[in-house]
Amino acid sequence: MYQAPRGTQDILPADRPYWRYVTEAMHQVAGLFGFQQIDTPIFEETGLYVRGVGEGTDIVDKEMYSFQDKGGAEVTLRPEWTAGVMRAYIEHGMHVWPQPVKLYSMGPIFRYERPQAGRFRQHHQFNVEVLGEMDPAVDLEVMSVAWTLLTRLGYRGLHLQLNSTGCPVCRPAYRQALVAYFAQYEDRLNDVDRRRLTINPLRLLDSKEEAAQPLLDAAPHSADYLCEECATHLATLRTYLDAAGMQHSINFRLVRGLDYYTKTVFEVWAEGIGAQAAVCGGGRYDRLIEELGGPPTPGIGFGMGIERVIASLRQQGVQPPPLPAPRVQVSPLGEPARVAAITLVRDLRAAGIGALYGFGGRSLKSQLKGADKAGVAYTVILGDQELADNVVIVREMATGEQARLGLPDVAPWLRTRLG
RNA sequence: GUGGCCAUAGCUCAAUAGGCAGAGCAUCUGGUUGUGGCCCAGAAGGCUGUGGGUUCAAGCCCCACUGGCCACCCCA
């Protein structure tokens, strides 16, 4: 038997209210802030991601769905949004648009990972980017989109985690300080952390190894190593966050796995998705566009995992509004009536009234049972007897009250009843 | 990539100690001609994830594979 590939899932009709609720809100909030939607291809030239995300990152080294197409081109299924959006910014000369350019996207992301709670091989992200502006108010703007959205969705107990990982000017010194600090305790680190020490020392701060915990509190904080520019940027941003009423905490252990981040990094944490607390993560990437061959252009953005948002909303007991469904069923009895009902259903739908047709020539009892399950407000009974008189019986399901109506009067009558 | 737990009907789960595979829900039909929900009856639904092995006999024991859940790694 075929099964959905590992780490993928079908989004069934029963899940759809949540998806609609969440994605609608994303469009609305993005619009509220003046963001415009952009969609980029679901696959790109592999080199774009290798260059954009960075060699040495887990995503590039072991998580990409890369393959050769029939023409021999090396392509990769989108493992994150940013690189593709940057490519589009450069390709379409968006640096001549009024700056900053504010873009958002929504769609599937592919990573070859071992699935677990809140982690899949195909998941969906809401992605937001602002290009072409260094102003810390832009950092605030981006975080504010996430904050406004999550709040509007009905979240309680959100945590905004903030840090600055510096820039090419100040990061090397910090990195060195970290290495020096942990090197003196090398014998107390286990294998995983010792490997991190050489490969990516910043990630040591995020270690969950027990042996490392006592060492972390006293480890050097990036904030103490920031250059003037980065320090000012962070301080100003915090002022703005306070002004916006966005509670946040500096988490000096917040480091992110993608190479391109400079200065601001942040995550929003929520509960209910197992060990994966981050529902949203992002930061500033002031070198990326240049790295990809465009003009020097600062940028900042975040990705938000839609599956994680939905999982935690469920866990918090947030109920999405029901999806619109047909309010009327037409139940014909007998073949001539079945023919007439075809026309009636067509007319109802043309009048904007969602209508179901009673299939299969079933008994009235069976059709009413079906209408009940479908949750319609009215059932229009059209038997051969009614047809002879050119009338129908309209049954209000909630009360069981029935009315006889002339066939041409059905649509207007239902229209006023259904609003 | 590493580790732990797990896999029986569409769903949630039973099946002493290896000994004929079950229930609830859902589906379909019926309970006097054409009237739903509640109730009652019946039907359908299974190569017990796949492939090997042990045994007179395997849903149950052993191995491999596939998949799920959870954690690490990493990320959203």
Side-chain angles (χ1 to χ4, degrees):
Chain A
M1 246 229 300
Y2 292 112
Q3 301 174 320
R6 179 165 217 195
T8 69
Q9 55 200 324
D10 299 311
I11 302 166
L12 299 172
D15 305 319
R16 222 63 242 191
Y18 276 102
W19 280 82
R20 183 74 68 90
Y21 174 58
V22 168
T23 54
E24 282 291 307
M26 286 168 173
H27 286 295
Q28 272 174 18
V29 171
L32 198 61
F33 280 76
F35 282 75
Q36 294 184 291
Q37 187 172 9
I38 181 172
D39 271 280
T40 60
I42 217 162
F43 63 89
E44 296 266 6
E45 207 176 307
T46 297
L48 172 67
Y49 293 122
V50 173
R51 194 68 182 275
V53 178
E55 247 165 326
T57 61
D58 273 21
I59 290 181
V60 167
D61 288 353
K62 44 190 198 194
E63 295 182 352
M64 295 207 302
Y65 276 93
S66 298
F67 58 98
Q68 213 176 52
D69 72 13
K70 291 186 191 299
E74 297 291 344
V75 296
T76 295
L77 262 35
R78 176 169 67 212
E80 59 117 45
W81 271 102
T82 302
V85 174
M86 295 311 104
R87 194 224 76 234
Y89 179 91
I90 297 166
E91 185 170 342
H92 299 286
M94 292 186 200
H95 64 280
V96 305
W97 294 13
Q99 304 291 300
V101 175
K102 310 200 303 190
L103 300 170
Y104 79 99
S105 318
M106 240 183 263
I109 294 294
F110 303 87
R111 289 180 201 166
Y112 186 83
E113 302 197 75
R114 188 88 176 258
Q116 71 184 71
R119 205 178 72 179
F120 312 99
R121 288 186 173 179
Q122 176 181 348
H123 77 280
H124 296 74
Q125 280 189 23
F126 170 58
N127 187 262
V128 164
E129 317 276 3
V130 177
L131 294 325
E133 181 55 68
M134 282 288 300
D135 187 345
V138 158
D139 301 39
L140 171 76
E141 174 107 333
V142 163
M143 291 179 202
S144 192
V145 169
W147 196 258
T148 304
L149 171 64
L150 294 171
T151 305
R152 181 175 282 210
L153 286 173
Y155 269 99
R156 298 199 324 267
L158 288 172
H159 306 277
L160 175 57
Q161 304 283 315
L162 179 66
N163 195 16
S164 175
T165 52
C167 65
V169 174
C170 50
R171 183 149 43 188
Y174 175 55
R175 189 188 171 102
Q176 253 172 33
L178 264 187
V179 173
Y181 171 79
F182 282 110
Q184 43 179 330
Y185 302 110
E186 197 171 347
D187 52 320
R188 288 170 61 179
L189 298 175
N190 62 17
D191 292 348
V192 180
D193 281 338
R194 215 168 293 141
R195 209 173 319 125
R196 277 198 262 243
L197 187 55
T198 53
I199 295 175
N200 193 349
L202 292 198
R203 290 224 61 86
L204 258 167
L205 293 169
D206 198 30
S207 176
K208 283 157 194 145
E209 301 298 329
E210 221 166 286
Q213 298 310 312
L215 305 176
L216 294 178
D217 283 337
H221 293 202
S222 59
D224 299 330
Y225 289 79
L226 295 178
C227 61
E228 174 99 35
E229 186 191 315
C230 288
T232 306
H233 190 95
L234 179 60
T236 309
L237 171 57
R238 296 197 67 184
T239 308
Y240 293 168
L241 283 167
D242 289 339
M246 288 165 60
Q247 282 190 316
H248 63 282
S249 40
I250 293 287
N251 179 351
F252 76 95
R253 285 159 61 170
L254 178 63
V255 289
R256 300 185 48 77
L258 282 67
D259 277 358
Y260 52 61
Y261 287 117
T262 51
K263 292 193 172 69
T264 310
V265 292
F266 69 97
E267 291 184 355
V268 180
W269 294 357
E271 285 156 18
I273 36 184
Q276 328 296 322
V279 84
C280 165
R284 182 167 272 287
Y285 42 85
D286 292 336
R287 307 283 317 277
L288 181 58
I289 292 182
E290 194 175 358
E291 174 74 20
L292 292 174
T297 309
I300 179 167
F302 70 79
M304 184 178 289
I306 298 180
E307 283 83 353
R308 285 189 187 177
V309 169
I310 290 173
S312 55
L313 280 179
R314 276 204 160 100
Q315 214 257 346
Q316 294 203 2
V318 175
Q319 292 289 328
L323 259 26
R327 310 290 309 282
V328 176
Q329 171 166 303
V330 175
S331 296
L333 298 166
E335 192 54 32
R338 280 166 52 82
V339 175
I342 298 267
T343 314
L344 177 56
V345 168
R346 184 201 60 185
D347 292 345
L348 289 176
R349 290 169 180 163
I353 299 168
L356 300 173
Y357 180 86
F359 296 116
R362 290 190 224 281
S363 68
L364 181 57
K365 173 180 182 152
S366 173
Q367 294 201 54
L368 280 170
K369 200 176 280 192
D372 188 50
K373 296 239 165 72
V376 297
Y378 294 94
T379 298
V380 177
I381 300 167
L382 178 51
D384 290 343
Q385 295 167 25
E386 286 74 23
L387 189 57
D389 298 339
N390 209 35
V391 298
V392 297
I393 294 170
V394 180
R395 179 182 180 84
E396 184 178 8
M397 297 302 282
T399 62
E401 280 172 37
Q402 300 190 162
R404 260 169 94 86
L405 293 178
L407 206 38
D409 303 329
V410 180
W413 190 89
L414 285 171
R415 199 98 176 91
T416 57
R417 297 299 168 114
L418 293 171

